[in-house]
Amino acid sequence: MNLQRRGSRPIAKRPTIADLASAAGVSVATVDRVLNGRLPVREATARLVHEAADSIGFRATGVIEQQLARMRPARTYGFLLQKRADPFYQQLAVDLTTATRAAHSVRGRAVVEYVDDLDPARLADRVRALGERCDGLAVVAVDHPHVGDAVEAVTAKGVPVFTLLSDLSTPARAGYFGLDGRKSGRTAAWTITRLARQAGPIGIHIGSHRYLGQELAEISFRSYLREHAPGFRPLEPFVNHDDPAQAQGATAVLLKSQRSLAGIYVSGGGQSGVIRALRAAALPPERAPIVVCNELTADTRAALIDGIIHLVIATPTERLASATVG
């Protein structure tokens, strides 16, 4: 840093454009173009100048940041999620929006929409409609030919479609972001068989058989029991359509009909309903099943603290959003 002396005390001199050019390893003319936008400059060069400006304390760092922002292409990313009222999806929406705004490679705008039922035809219509307005699309969807056709139609128009939380079978989808269903199911089975006081039947909740991620988790759950804990008997799954009310009613019936119930595995949604049923039953510890469910929310966190449930297999929504947008 250049210094000038006033009296007996040296005073720091503000870095000049020449100092910035030297620090960045470019010409003064290039720095001038970056600062004033006179002629096109490669983004990599502008970023190099910005980093040098930041390192030497150049006064116009904010101006360079503005120029960098103008260089980034504007992009609109669409996100089609489930269950608007679900706290998990609310948090995922916040994280996806934040990640889009923070993206370094684009000037991103997030459009978040919700589908509150699992009707494949309606979902397919929403995929097509949102795809018309976006440069890229990420969806939470059940696997169905209608949905696959919609993804293929959107992709054919040059808009990539990614799947979130649960994959689709269509090869047209650009990629999948979410947990490994096989690991989730086997982890749940390991937990229940290790913590249960004795072997017995296990209740299973899924949102829909058409969620490939949930289907894989259930298959892997059963596979682990066959291989490592044949004394435990998985019951036929209850399809709750991610509806807490349906999950609560089914769990209440399960607790009354299976007095030796060893565990409950919730591989889909409806967790809050399962928790309400368990709280209402107020079973003594010797009869309480070992419960594993998905997603860390206010309800599941409180249930963990109170010992109502025993393990939550949670999706790291912030990391998921960053990976999806990035």
Side-chain angles (χ1 to χ4, degrees):
M1 181 178 291
N2 295 326
L3 299 177
Q4 64 181 14
R5 185 172 295 277
R6 180 176 299 167
S8 60
R9 179 180 297 175
I11 298 175
K13 182 181 178 183
R14 284 183 175 181
T16 64
I17 289 180
D19 295 328
L20 177 55
S22 176
V26 298
S27 68
V28 171
T30 297
V31 172
D32 180 69
R33 290 200 298 272
V34 171
L35 289 171
N36 298 292
R38 300 183 192 281
L39 292 171
V41 178
R42 289 189 309 152
E43 183 180 353
T45 301
R47 194 166 296 282
L48 183 65
V49 173
H50 177 265
E51 291 172 356
D54 191 55
S55 67
I56 68 173
F58 189 74
R59 64 187 181 280
T61 303
V63 174
I64 302 173
E65 290 174 352
Q66 293 173 9
Q67 295 293 358
L68 278 170
R70 293 189 187 99
M71 291 178 183
R72 298 197 300 266
R75 294 288 183 268
T76 298
Y77 294 148
F79 304 101
L80 190 59
L81 309 181
Q82 297 284 337
K83 305 294 181 182
R84 182 188 301 271
D86 189 305
F88 169 75
Y89 283 113
Q90 292 172 0
Q91 184 59 54
L92 179 57
V94 170
D95 290 335
L96 288 167
T97 300
T98 300
T100 301
R101 291 172 178 167
H104 293 300
S105 58
V106 299
R107 286 180 285 135
R109 182 175 74 93
V111 177
V112 179
E113 296 186 357
Y114 299 87
V115 178
D116 287 322
D117 63 61
L118 304 182
D119 179 71
R122 187 173 293 110
L123 181 57
D125 289 342
R126 296 291 297 278
V127 169
R128 286 189 174 92
L130 190 54
E132 292 287 343
R133 300 153 47 202
C134 299
D135 301 296
L137 191 59
V139 302
V140 180
V142 294
D143 192 51
H144 188 276
H146 285 323
V147 178
D149 287 347
V151 170
E152 291 168 15
V154 171
T155 301
K157 294 181 178 181
V159 178
V161 181
F162 296 86
T163 54
L164 297 176
L165 306 181
S166 184
D167 207 357
L168 296 175
S169 58
T170 173
R173 68 101 170 99
Y176 163 68
F177 296 96
L179 299 181
D180 183 328
R182 183 175 183 275
K183 290 182 179 180
S184 295
R186 293 180 72 85
T187 298
W190 181 91
T191 301
I192 291 175
T193 56
R194 290 300 188 278
L195 296 182
R197 293 172 180 81
Q198 60 184 17
I202 300 176
I204 301 173
H205 281 266
I206 65 171
S208 169
H209 287 294
R210 290 194 176 276
Y211 278 127
L212 295 188
Q214 295 180 23
E215 180 182 56
L216 179 56
E218 184 201 349
I219 290 171
S220 301
F221 184 86
R222 293 175 179 275
S223 175
Y224 181 93
L225 297 181
R226 284 196 302 270
E227 183 180 357
H228 297 289
F232 289 83
R233 178 170 59 91
L235 302 174
E236 283 300 304
F238 177 77
V239 180
N240 63 33
H241 302 101
D242 294 340
D243 184 333
Q246 292 188 36
Q248 181 176 359
T251 303
V253 171
L254 180 65
L255 294 173
K256 291 179 180 178
S257 63
Q258 300 287 340
R259 295 188 60 83
S260 60
L261 190 68
I264 298 175
Y265 174 38
V266 188
S267 71
Q271 300 94 328
S272 60
V274 173
I275 292 168
R276 285 199 296 269
L278 289 165
R279 290 189 184 279
L283 296 174
E286 63 272 14
R287 278 202 57 210
I290 302 302
V291 182
V292 176
C293 67
N294 290 334
E295 311 312 351
L296 194 61
T297 64
D299 278 343
T300 56
R301 185 186 297 275
L304 278 171
I305 293 171
D306 294 339
I308 301 295
I309 61 177
H310 303 82
L311 177 70
V312 171
I313 300 175
T315 302
T317 56
E318 188 174 341
R319 286 174 53 196
L320 176 72
S322 296
T324 303
V325 173

